[in-house]
Amino acid sequence: MQFVSTTGQIDKLTTACLILPVFSKGAQTELTETFDQANDGQIAVVLKRGDASGKAGNTLLMHMPAGNKTERVLLVGLGESGKTSEADFNKATSASINALKKLPIKSICTALLSVDVVDKDDKWKVRQWVIKSHEALYQYTQTLTSSAPDAHQLENCDILACSQISADDINQAATTASSIASGIASAKKLADLPGNICTPSYLADTATKLGEQHASLNVTVLEEAEMEKLGMGSFLSVSRGSRQPAKLITMEHNGGPSSQKPIVIVGKGLTFDAGGISIKPSSGMDEMKYDMCGGASVFGVMQMCAELNLPINVVGIVPSSENLPDGDANKPGDIVTSMAGLTIEILNTDAEGRLILCDALTYAAKFKPEVVIDIATLTGACVVALGKHATGLLGNNDELANELLAAGKKAGDKAWQLPLWDEYKPQLKSNFADLANIGGPAGGTITAACFLSRFTEDYKWAHLDIAGTAWKSGADKGATGRPVHMLSQFILDRC
Ligand code: BES
Ligand code: MN
Ligand code: ZN
């Protein structure tokens, strides 16, 4: 869907459907009142009868008399006047699009910028409207033979400039948001694909294609033989148990001056994690196709940077492999040598994410990074600690951590910081190698980050554990595209 700003008098708009806010309590917006006065007070009648409650996300479709330029009005609830929250606004957006996508209409017009949202400005409203609309229209279709079950006809959405923000600023915010939304959708599409289609080679091909589509993107894929030469013994030990060859994918967006140090993002691209010899229980194991969500988010962010031609250098690295049981797979007690030279005792083959990430993080240093951020579905313990709402954040630089926390808050794609104290580090002690790949049941998310921290000492680094936030289980099973929005905000704030 395309989003553009529009101006005009509220009661003289030509549109198939005008989206108008209503509140559950307090005075309605001036805009809603003006429209109603020009149209025989029908909205007041409907509100009085209680058909439209004004509760956040409640919708009611009204048809205007034949001949009216505004053919329909969708009343959408935003809660109590003056108290509309971020969540209320998001709910109202999703509910509006969900209500309208079922109708045979192509063009709509939203007047929701007229609503004050607590602590948020107009630019935020535009971005959120665009991103949440795209999200409501997202559909997984790749492996369904029936053509899209509820294909919609929505093509254009006018955003009525009915607040302080200028038409130009609306258009600019909408363009930015559309690219963030495409990045989120691309990440979801990749993540939702099954493990037999989305293999490391599939991800590598996807990266190559992305590079062909965007002049600013330089894509390289390292094969196992090249990784062997670099000494990536840890990463390759995981891949040895799989028939699919591992790939190390690098996507460089060169938008800034060549002297500018890049932001490097490294995403875990485990296209299926069965656990290896330390095999996982079978219940729910299908969801381990989502173990590449960190990698998928890197694809989404790189696409966003390229589409918007951001004036900044960003490097995306995705180490990709499967983790399966096999005669040649890692065995508990095996010791491997990482690219950094540190030896690792593999006490649990299911703690494979850190084994592929440590070599990718060593490789990242070659880009002389300003900062490095890794994104990984790394520990079940993170889901226990933070549930499904907050991404776990750890790192070796508080300034960087605070910047990410702030970006997450702004984007509504939040993280919560956990400590990375030295006290936890002895849990990784091994009698036979420089470190063990697990640290026991206590503080599993923290000891996983402690493991990674041994490989990130030479630069500012943050780690995002997205085990709880990258996808949803149950009836709504599907990828969320997180944390593409947080990372996009982080990068945009640095531009
Ligand atoms: N990919 C998993 C982590 C995971 C599990 C993410 C469940 C989301 C939901 C990771 O490779 C893993 O298996 N981690 C182990 C580590 C343990 C063996 C120290 C875990 O969390 O159980
Ligand atoms: Mn695992
Ligand atoms: Zn894993």
Side-chain angles (χ1 to χ4, degrees), residues 268 273 280 288 290-291 294 350-358 361 374-383 394 444-452 461 463-468 471:
K268 173 178 175 183
D273 180 14
K280 288 183 180 294
M288 281 298 117
Y290 288 120
D291 214 14
D350 198 9
E352 86 298 335
R354 56 198 85 179
L355 295 176
I356 74 168
L357 281 171
C358 69
L361 287 166
D374 80 76
I375 311 109
T377 47
L378 204 63
T379 63
C382 194
V383 193
L394 303 99
T445 303
I446 297 172
T447 53
C450 283
F451 179 95
L452 298 178
W461 160 75
H463 161 64
L464 296 170
D465 194 328
I466 55 167
W471 77 92

Side-chain angles (χ1 to χ4, degrees), residues 224 233-246 270 272-277 321-331 334 346 349 352 356:
E224 288 187 348
S234 183
F235 180 5
L236 289 171
S237 78
V238 174
S239 169
R240 227 181 34 238
S242 151
R243 298 184 190 190
Q244 295 290 337
L270 226 291
F272 191 78
D273 180 14
I277 297 301
S321 166
E322 296 180 320
N323 184 28
L324 296 173
D326 179 84
D328 206 21
N330 277 328
K331 303 174 292 297
D334 282 2
I346 301 172
T349 68
E352 86 298 335
I356 74 168

Side-chain angles (χ1 to χ4, degrees), residues 12 16 26 59 77 94 114 132 139 141 200 215 219 223 252 270 282 332 368 376 379 432 439 484 488:
K12 297 206 167 58
T59 60
S94 310
S114 59
K132 291 288 154 190
Q139 266 193 322
T141 54
V219 175
E223 304 295 332
E252 289 171 76
L270 226 291
S282 48
K368 305 206 174 3
T379 63
F432 307 108
V484 171
S488 300

Side-chain angles (χ1 to χ4, degrees), residues 20-191:
L20 271 182
V22 288
F23 296 122
S24 58
K25 230 172 139 183
Q28 301 301 335
T29 64
E30 234 179 272
L31 218 64
T32 301
E33 293 288 3
T34 309
F35 181 89
D36 204 27
Q37 275 154 25
N39 288 283
D40 302 329
Q42 272 307 305
I43 295 176
V45 172
V46 160
L47 285 172
K48 200 161 171 217
R49 287 179 184 158
D51 290 23
S53 72
K55 279 196 190 131
N58 173 279
T59 60
L60 182 78
L61 186 71
M62 293 170 66
H63 282 260
M64 303 309 288
N68 204 316
K69 282 185 184 168
T70 299
E71 295 171 7
R72 304 170 185 78
V73 170
L74 184 77
L75 297 181
V76 60
L78 283 127
E80 273 184 51
S81 165
K83 292 188 179 169
T84 301
S85 67
E86 179 179 346
D88 292 338
F89 188 85
N90 289 340
K91 256 190 217 165
T93 306
S94 310
S96 301
I97 301 300
N98 282 327
L100 298 178
K101 71 183 180 187
K102 299 177 197 130
L103 301 176
I105 54 179
K106 287 189 178 147
S107 301
I108 58 178
C109 177
T110 179
L112 289 203
L113 295 196
S114 59
V115 175
D116 289 329
V117 181
V118 178
D119 288 340
K120 301 291 175 191
D121 59 12
D122 287 330
K123 203 166 124 187
W124 179 90
K125 287 182 247 173
V126 175
R127 281 210 197 162
Q128 220 54 21
W129 172 267
V130 172
I131 291 172
K132 291 288 154 190
S133 294
H134 272 285
E135 210 167 276
L137 295 174
Y138 174 83
Q139 266 193 322
Y140 177 86
T141 54
Q142 290 106 298
T143 47
L144 296 169
T145 53
S146 57
S147 61
D150 38 62
H152 64 86
Q153 296 185 16
L154 292 174
E155 281 174 10
N156 304 300
C157 177
D158 287 341
I159 300 176
L160 187 63
C162 50
S163 185
Q164 314 295 338
I165 189 170
S166 71
D168 279 352
D169 286 349
I170 290 179
N171 286 333
Q172 207 187 3
T175 304
T176 304
S178 289
S179 289
I180 297 173
S182 306
I184 293 172
S186 295
K188 281 164 65 158
K189 270 189 186 163
L190 274 179

Side-chain angles (χ1 to χ4, degrees), residues 300-332:
V301 171
M302 296 313 296
Q303 183 190 312
M304 182 279 306
C305 292
E307 253 185 49
L308 291 174
N309 234 315
L310 293 183
I312 192 168
N313 296 331
V314 182
V315 178
I317 302 176
V318 180
S320 184
S321 166
E322 296 180 320
N323 184 28
L324 296 173
D326 179 84
D328 206 21
N330 277 328
K331 303 174 292 297

